[in-house]
Amino acid sequence: MATLLSISSWVARGHVGNAAIRFPLMRRGIDVVALPTVILAHHPGHARDVARAEMPDILAMGQDILGSPSPHPVDGVLAGYVALAPQAVAIAGLVAEARAYREGVPMLLDPIVGDNGQLYVDPLVVDEIRANLVPMADIATPNVTELVALTAPKRIRKAPSLDEAEIVKLARKLPVPTVVVTSAPASGEGRSANIVVTEDIAVRIETPTVELHVHGTGDLLAGLVLGEIVGGQDIVPAVAMASAIVHDVLAVTARAGRDELAVVAAQKLIASPKTTAEVAML
C-alpha cells in the first residue's frame, strides 16, 4: 500500500486542504500522513474571522513524521496551502528528506495562492513558493490565476481572460516537468476543463459542469492525481480519473444541497466513478 505525505491546511469542519485529500485517497487504498500548515475551524470562505491555530514549525514535526523513532518513508509528497512564507523553505526541506529516505519520490505542488485574477495570500508567499518549491516539483496543479502569479505576476488581473494557447505557453514557462492547469477554458458551455502540459504534449481533459460553488475541489483533484501517479498511472489517465471523481463528488454534493464537498456520501463513487472524462489533444 502506498503512503503519501500531504502538507496543507486542516479544517475541523468541512473538506478543504488535507480534509479534502485524506479520506478520498484512503478510500482508494492509499494511506495519507497529513501535516497541517494551519488549523482552521472551517474554510475562511464561510467567514473571514475564522478561529485558527498557526503551525510555525512544520519542519520539526515533518522530520519526526518521516524519521522518528525509525524511518517511515513515503511514496509521494503533496505540497498544498502555505500559510506562512517561511513554511516554503521548511516544506522544501521535508521533500529533500523524503527523497533521502526513498530516492525519486514524486512531489506535486498545488500552489494555493489565488483565483479569478487576484491573490488571497501575501505576495511573499508566492515568491517563496516560486523560489523554493517550484524547482523541486515534478507536477504542479495551479489554476490559471496561480499559473500567472508564478510565471507573469504583472499580468495576474488578466488571468481570467487568457485563452488556451496563452495558458499552454505560460505552463511551459513554469520550470516543472508536468503542469496541470485547473479550471481552464473549456471547449464549450456546460463543460469544465483541466489542461495537462508537458514539453511534448498539451491535452484538454473535460467533464460536464456541475453548477455548484464549494471549496476544496482543487485540493481533491491534486491529491487524486498524485495518488494515481504513485499507483503507476501516466499523467493523462491520472488527471482523467481525478477529474471524473471530482465531477461525481460535486454531483453528489449538489443533490445533497451541501456547502461542503460530500466526500463521505460520495465514497462509492470515489472508489469507482461513473463519469468518464473526455480527453483531447491540443
Side-chain angles (χ1 to χ4, degrees), residues 188-242:
E189 292 292 325
R191 312 290 293 169
S192 295
N194 301 306
I195 300 176
V196 178
V197 181
T198 70
E199 183 179 351
D200 302 315
I201 65 166
V203 178
R204 185 199 307 119
I205 297 174
E206 287 188 319
T207 57
T209 296
V210 178
E211 295 296 342
L212 177 72
H213 178 70
V214 291
H215 303 285
T217 54
D219 306 300
L220 175 59
L221 183 88
L224 291 167
V225 168
L226 185 57
E228 292 298 296
I229 293 297
V230 301
Q233 285 282 14
D234 291 331
I235 188 61
V236 171
V239 176
M241 175 61 76

Side-chain angles (χ1 to χ4, degrees), residues 34-219:
L35 174 59
T37 55
V38 64
I39 301 172
L40 304 166
H42 53 72
H43 190 279
H46 297 308
R48 296 302 301 178
D49 58 346
V50 58
R52 59 191 291 144
E54 303 292 352
M55 299 288 294
D57 192 7
I58 62 171
L59 180 60
M61 185 175 290
Q63 288 172 329
D64 258 13
I65 287 169
L66 292 170
S68 177
S70 60
H72 284 68
V74 294
D75 301 289
V77 179
L78 190 155
Y81 182 69
V82 176
L84 303 168
Q87 289 178 337
V89 174
I91 293 169
L94 292 174
V95 174
E97 191 152 338
R99 288 172 173 167
Y101 286 122
R102 182 165 288 163
E103 187 176 355
V105 165
M107 192 270 254
L108 185 148
L109 171 63
D110 185 18
I112 304 168
V113 299
D115 202 4
N116 296 317
Q118 295 183 330
L119 294 180
Y120 45 63
V121 300
D122 185 333
L124 184 58
V125 170
V126 183
D127 294 341
E128 291 297 303
I129 289 173
R130 186 189 300 110
N132 296 287
L133 297 180
V134 167
M136 302 194 78
D138 300 288
I139 304 167
T141 57
N143 62 34
V144 179
T145 296
E146 292 159 347
L147 175 64
V148 176
L150 291 171
T151 57
K154 292 182 179 179
R155 300 180 62 194
I156 191 165
R157 293 187 181 277
K158 296 182 179 180
S161 63
L162 294 184
D163 63 25
E164 202 168 59
E166 292 175 299
I167 290 168
V168 171
K169 184 177 180 180
L170 286 176
R172 287 187 171 135
K173 285 183 62 178
L174 193 67
V176 177
T178 300
V179 179
V180 181
V181 185
T182 64
S183 303
S187 62
E189 292 292 325
R191 312 290 293 169
S192 295
N194 301 306
I195 300 176
V196 178
V197 181
T198 70
E199 183 179 351
D200 302 315
I201 65 166
V203 178
R204 185 199 307 119
I205 297 174
E206 287 188 319
T207 57
T209 296
V210 178
E211 295 296 342
L212 177 72
H213 178 70
V214 291
H215 303 285
T217 54
D219 306 300

